Amino acid sequence: MSSTELHETARAIVADHKGILAADESTGTMTKRLDSIGVESTPENRRAFRGLLFSAPGMEEYIGGVILYDETIRQSADDGTPFPELLAAKGVIPGIKVDTGAHDLAGFPGEKVTEGLDGLRGRLEEYRSLGARFAKWRAVITIGEGIPTSACIEANAHALARYAALCQEQGLVPIVEPEVLMDGDHTIDRCYEVTAQTLHAVYDQLFRFEVDLRGTLLKPNMVISGKGCPEHASAAEIAEKTIRCFLDHVPASVPGIVFLSGGQSELEATENLNAINRVGGPWTLSFSYGRALQASALASWGGDPSNAEAAQAAFVHRARMNSLAVAGQWSAELEQPVAA
Ligand code: 13P
């Protein structure tokens, strides 16, 4: 892929107020999700749920890309069409999670570094041949007593930059995901400070490794209070602080910022994205949600094939609400189901 193609792919994923469905939960995470609805986590049940999301009629109006997991990119729809092919036929760009998870950072209790660089070039080549056109790597930064350390931030930023350079070499758009976790009782201002430090380190490393920013997307956390913080910041405050932080630390040449939901409820994730777009910035500000696009659909499905249509409707509704939020045109009244 030429650099022009990388730029075009990055822009296409977030064109027309579309966003990304993150369906790349590792088997461990997917097992937790299925456990929560009392469904056994078998390859077939994971395939069935993801297949109903990908084949949901109309999802392609709001979803420009789907992030798959290694197991999922090799699975097929009920009619035998491989998932990457099914998505591409609908105009939805297939992507793939390529990191191998966050592991304890030696010598730094409570902190993690994401692994997966060894052998990555060969894996990217294979994923591209399976239909992937973009990739994702998630770094995790934890806020706590005396953490994050600069060692943790720098180790993760370095790995993200090496991953991004390898992706571009192999013709895949890298989604760069440095997630500052919502876990903890920290204030929104502490989240602001750590997000600023993290983004600064990430863009410093991307510059050093000569990554072409126009052929990347950023997948960050919003600047938001910790889950256990007694003061819950309003959507307006989240939006104002998120944009201020990003204006100072994310170059305008990055074509799109696709937020993760990170444990926000479906409604909060939509309301906050809408508020962020009401403030606006030089980048397209969209979504790459996992839980905030799937929670209602998963509950409606409950593992019963006869609920597939209801689950698809729940998923497409969330996708539409988030697409409206990208346009800054969402409002709470639109959440009321319209009587047939
Ligand atoms: P959430 O939106 O559930 O945080 O998932 C997005 C994701 O892909 C995290 O890596």
Side-chain angles (χ1 to χ4, degrees), residues 45 48 52 78 301-310:
N45 284 338
L52 76 82
D78 295 341
W301 178 59
D304 181 345
S306 69
N307 294 331
E309 271 181 40

Side-chain angles (χ1 to χ4, degrees), residues 22 24 33 67 136 138 177 179 219 260-263 288-292:
D24 61 322
R33 304 272 186 273
I67 318 175
K136 175 192 120 168
R138 172 175 177 254
E177 180 177 3
E179 176 174 3
K219 175 163 174 167
L260 57 92
S261 59
S288 175
Y289 292 163
R291 283 162 284 183

